[in-house]
Amino acid sequence: MSQRDKLIKIDKIKEEFSAMITHELKTPLVPIIGYCKMLRNQMMGQINEEQMDSILTIEKNAKRLETLITDIMDVRKLDMNKMKFTMEDLSIADFFVNLESSYKQVLAEQGKEFITDIPMTDHTIQTDKIRLRQVFDNLISNAIKFTPDENGKITVGWKIEGNKIIFYIRDNGIGISLESQQNLFQKFYQVDTSARRKISGTGLGLAISKGIVEKLGGRIWVESDGKTGTVFYVEFNI
């Protein structure tokens, strides 16, 4: 067997092992989360306040583990060039209406403002709308974590510049230092500040977002002065 064949065989074994591990880790979470929901809805009898708090803690951590496993699976797919994309026409206006519907009320209940800053005209692009939404969800989730509970503000919008469409997600959070920005899109990288260290995450969301954007033919970058908020940009040719 040639060296090339050996490497191909090793890669195949690694792929199969990774797929098996992530599947086996995710499978037990389905009934755990399912039973938590049933218990929360008191479908199996009355629950007192202390028991309810315990159930919510179990469910929260099970969902965190589920997110981590999903992120690991997506990273593996991107690394092996096996993530599937379905390209179709997407109305930007409809896309932002759905974003506003998902986030505006939820964030208002947390004391944070969600703003859509978009032109009056619509535009259509060719993209994978599910994967693009995944990128936005990652970036908005990141912004939510680092904006203040009081007067927190997250703005999403888009603009046309020449033959490019540029999306942006802006927050008024604690910002990211110039030094940290250089490594921000690396897998498992987390900004090492006392304020950010308190906030949990997989450290994979931005790496996945970068991988998806690049597979869709675009680029992603960040701007921040390290003090007064952060802006993430996603750009595609049109």
Side-chain angles (χ1 to χ4, degrees):
M1 183 182 292
S2 68
Q3 186 66 22
R4 181 175 178 275
D5 288 339
K6 288 180 180 178
L7 291 174
I8 291 173
K9 184 177 181 181
I10 290 170
D11 282 342
K12 185 177 180 181
I13 292 171
K14 285 164 63 178
E15 180 185 356
E16 290 173 350
F17 177 75
S18 178
M20 182 270 291
I21 288 296
T22 50
H23 175 75
E24 291 301 318
L25 285 172
K26 202 166 187 177
T27 299
L29 290 175
V30 176
I32 292 172
I33 294 172
Y35 275 111
C36 284
K37 184 177 180 180
M38 292 170 65
L39 290 166
R40 276 196 296 103
N41 294 330
Q42 305 199 42
M43 296 171 63
M44 304 172 72
Q46 292 295 313
I47 300 293
N48 63 40
E49 187 176 344
E50 186 177 357
Q51 291 169 331
M52 185 65 76
D53 288 342
S54 298
I55 292 164
L56 291 173
T57 300
I58 293 168
E59 184 177 37
K60 179 183 177 181
N61 284 281
K63 287 183 175 179
R64 282 179 59 191
L65 182 56
E66 184 180 42
T67 298
L68 175 59
I69 295 166
T70 300
D71 284 353
I72 291 172
M73 291 173 71
D74 281 343
V75 165
R76 182 176 63 86
K77 289 175 187 175
L78 286 166
D79 285 346
M80 304 191 74
N81 202 27
K82 292 198 173 183
M83 180 174 280
K84 295 180 180 179
F85 294 89
T86 302
M87 306 299 284
E88 57 185 313
D89 287 338
L90 173 67
S91 161
I92 302 302
D94 289 346
F95 184 78
F96 274 81
V97 165
N98 289 331
L99 282 176
E100 188 171 57
S101 175
S102 297
Y103 288 104
K104 193 174 186 69
Q105 183 58 39
V106 173
L107 288 181
E109 292 171 2
Q110 298 178 24
K112 300 182 182 184
E113 189 176 4
F114 185 79
I115 302 167
T116 50
D117 178 20
I118 58 177
M120 294 297 292
T121 56
D122 191 14
H123 198 85
T124 300
I125 61 171
Q126 270 271 318
T127 191
D128 184 315
K129 63 182 180 182
I130 293 175
R131 292 302 181 185
L132 183 63
R133 177 59 189 260
Q134 183 178 356
V135 170
F136 269 78
D137 285 340
N138 279 340
L139 296 177
I140 293 170
S141 174
N142 197 65
I144 291 170
K145 292 176 184 176
F146 301 115
T147 50
D149 292 332
E150 187 175 341
N151 297 321
K153 185 182 295 185
I154 297 166
T155 304
V156 297
W158 64 274
K159 57 187 176 180
I160 301 291
E161 290 189 358
N163 66 337
K164 299 181 184 299
I165 183 167
I166 301 173
F167 299 100
Y168 53 89
I169 297 90
R170 179 186 298 115
D171 68 63
N172 65 340
I174 58 179
I176 303 169
S177 70
L178 293 175
E179 181 182 358
S180 296
Q181 289 174 37
Q182 298 175 15
N183 302 309
L184 200 59
F185 295 100
Q186 292 181 10
K187 285 178 284 189
F188 298 108
Y189 180 78
Q190 292 181 316
V191 178
D192 188 22
T193 70
S194 58
R196 286 180 174 265
R197 213 177 298 156
K198 297 174 185 175
I199 302 171
S200 62
T202 65
L204 292 171
L206 293 179
I208 292 169
S209 296
K210 182 175 187 290
I212 290 173
V213 169
E214 290 178 350
K215 294 292 184 185
L216 291 172
R219 72 183 184 105
I220 183 172
W221 71 97
V222 63
E223 292 181 3
S224 176
D225 62 5
K227 300 175 183 176
T228 57
T230 302
V231 188
F232 282 92
Y233 294 95
V234 176
E235 176 188 272
F236 296 103
N237 290 326
I238 54 174

